[in-house]
Every structure is written in structure tokens, then in C-alpha cells.
């Protein structure tokens, strides 16, 4: 899902970086002492989960756990994922340095949007297992949609590739949904109070 340097137009990259920085500042201001350890832990989780990836054109397909991270951290998810993305770009060459802002929007913002969506009463009324699956599924779905928009807006020749990437990520959406479902079921069994505190 990472966008590499030079893939998007300069205009899209600059605007996305400015917007991402604004969200990063907003996320950082939401960080408190209670969430520092949790944010660090989820940053490491994202780093490891997305370590194994499959290159696909200008992007990469991999497990991200965006929805899972989002419902636990809320707006702080943007800060947490940003840290992991910066380390991945600098240490491992995942994505690129100039495209960090774009990747923050694609993954960090997507994670936060999952948190907002699943606070709505409609989703609270869903069957628990369905809801857990959709949390994982929607994280990748939203992330893919943001990636799609960046590619479509950036260059006309990316139109066919954009649609291909959407379809290519459907198996990832399903996989992420299943993994998230099992993670939540495990947490519910071992730490039931933690699920109740999420209020999802």
C-alpha cells in the first residue's frame, strides 16, 4: 500500500504532505500520558505487520491492521502509524521519504476514519463478529480508496492501474477482516473489559 517516491505528481505530493502534516499535529495534540505506551505498541505492531509485503506496480499489498489500530487509538492512530511509516522509509526503504505525507493519509487517516465510522450507532447495533470483521475490512477499503484518489488525480495514465489496485486489494480486505475478527475474539476471551472500554 506504500506509495514510492516519484510515483505521484509534485502537486499532489506537496498538497498531500501539507494536509498530512496538519493531521499529524492534530493527532499529536490528542496524545496523552495514558496513550503513549499504547501508541508505541501499535506503532510497532503496524511496523511488523506490514513488514511482509507483495510489490504490485507502484504500491505494495500487505497486512496493516489499520481498523484494529484505529478503534483502539482514535485520532492518535495517525501519529502512531506516522512514526512507523517514517522508520520504514528511512530504515527499510518502504515507500519513500518525499511520499511519507501521502502514505500517512493513505494509512494513518484511514485508520482514524475507521474509528469515527464505528462510533456511529448503526455499526454498534451490528452482530459482534460481523462488526469485528468489518473493522478490519473497512480499514483496507478506506486506505485503498484514498490511494485510488491519489493515483487518479495525479496522472491520467494511472486510471487503469488505479482500478486494478482496487480489485487487487479485495483479498487483502478480506484477509484483514478475518485477522481482525480473530484478534478481537482473542482479546474478548482474555481481556473482556478492554472490549467494553472501546464502546464499539
Amino acid at each position: 500500500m506504500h506509495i514510492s517516491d516519484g510515483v505521484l505528481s509534485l502537486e499532489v505530493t506537496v498538497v498531500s504532505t501539507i494536509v498530512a502534516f496538519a493531521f499529524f499535529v492534530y493527532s499529536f495534540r490528542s496524545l496523552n500520558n495514558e496513550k503513549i505506551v499504547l501508541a508505541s505498541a501499535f506503532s510497532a505492531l503496524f511496523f511488523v505487520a506490514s513488514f511482509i509485503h507483495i510489490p504490485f506496480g507502484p504500491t505494495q499489498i500487505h497486512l496493516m491492521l489499520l481498523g484494529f489500530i484505529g478503534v483502539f487509538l482514535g485520532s492518535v492512530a495517525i501519529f502512531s502509524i506516522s512514526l512507523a511509516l517514517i522508520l520504514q522509509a528511512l530504515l527499510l526503504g518502504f515507500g519513500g521519504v518525499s511520499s511519507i505525507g501521502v502514505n500517512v493519509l493513505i494509512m494513518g487517516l484511514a485508520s482514524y476514519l475507521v474509528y469515527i465510522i464505528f462510533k456511529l450507532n448503526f455499526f454498534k447495533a451490528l452482530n459482534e463478529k460481523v462488526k469485528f470483521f468489518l473493522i478490519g475490512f473497512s480499514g483496507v477499503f478506506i486506505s485503498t480508496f484514498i490511494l485510488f484518489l491519489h493515483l487518479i488525480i495525479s496522472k491520467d495514465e494511472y486510471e487503469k492501474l488505479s482500478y486494478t489496485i482496487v480489485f487487487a486489494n479485495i483479498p487483502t480486505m478480506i484477509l484483514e477482516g478475518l485477522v481482525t475478527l480473530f484478534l478481537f475474539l482473542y482479546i474478548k476471551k482474555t481481556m473482556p473489559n478492554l472490549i467494553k472500554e472501546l464502546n464499539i
Side-chain angles (χ1 to χ4, degrees):
M1 195 68 73
H2 295 71
I3 286 285
S4 302
D5 288 337
V7 172
L8 302 178
S9 66
L10 180 61
E11 294 82 1
V12 171
T13 302
V14 170
V15 172
S16 295
T17 300
I18 293 170
V19 174
F21 182 74
F23 274 111
F24 179 84
V25 171
Y26 166 72
S27 179
F28 180 75
R29 288 182 176 178
S30 303
L31 186 65
N32 54 41
N33 291 334
E34 295 177 359
K35 285 194 173 180
I36 289 177
V37 175
L38 198 59
S40 301
F42 278 117
S43 185
L45 177 65
F46 174 85
F47 187 97
V48 174
S50 59
F51 186 79
I52 300 173
H53 60 282
I54 303 169
F56 188 85
T59 186
Q60 296 152 355
I61 301 171
H62 50 71
L63 197 66
M64 295 173 288
L65 302 177
L66 298 178
F68 183 75
I69 294 171
V71 295
F72 274 97
L73 294 182
S75 61
V76 178
I78 299 173
F79 173 78
S80 178
I81 291 173
S82 295
L83 292 182
L85 288 171
I86 291 169
L87 289 175
Q88 286 179 341
L90 296 177
L91 300 178
L92 303 174
F94 285 10
V97 176
S98 66
S99 58
I100 288 176
V102 176
N103 289 322
V104 166
L105 291 183
I106 292 172
M107 288 170 271
L109 179 59
S111 184
Y112 178 41
L113 289 176
V114 172
Y115 167 80
I116 293 174
I117 290 170
F118 281 87
K119 285 296 181 180
L120 300 175
N121 290 330
F122 170 77
F123 289 98
K124 289 182 179 181
L126 290 176
N127 173 274
E128 191 175 61
K129 291 182 179 179
V130 172
K131 180 167 53 180
F132 291 160
F133 174 84
L134 287 177
I135 286 173
F137 182 94
S138 60
V140 181
F141 177 83
I142 296 171
S143 179
T144 303
F145 180 70
I146 296 173
L147 171 60
F148 171 83
L149 289 179
H150 275 85
L151 291 172
I152 283 289
I153 294 170
S154 186
K155 296 179 182 179
D156 292 337
E157 56 263 37
Y158 286 161
E159 183 175 356
K160 290 183 179 179
L161 177 63
S162 301
Y163 288 104
T164 303
I165 287 175
V166 171
F167 287 109
N169 273 296
I170 291 175
T172 309
M173 296 174 199
I174 296 171
L175 174 63
E176 186 117 356
L178 292 172
V179 170
T180 302
L181 166 63
F182 287 118
L183 282 173
F184 272 119
L185 290 178
Y186 175 77
I187 292 173
K188 183 182 177 182
K189 184 177 181 180
T190 56
M191 295 173 284
N193 290 334
L194 191 56
I195 299 293
K196 292 179 181 178
E197 289 174 8
L198 290 178
N199 191 28
I200 54 172

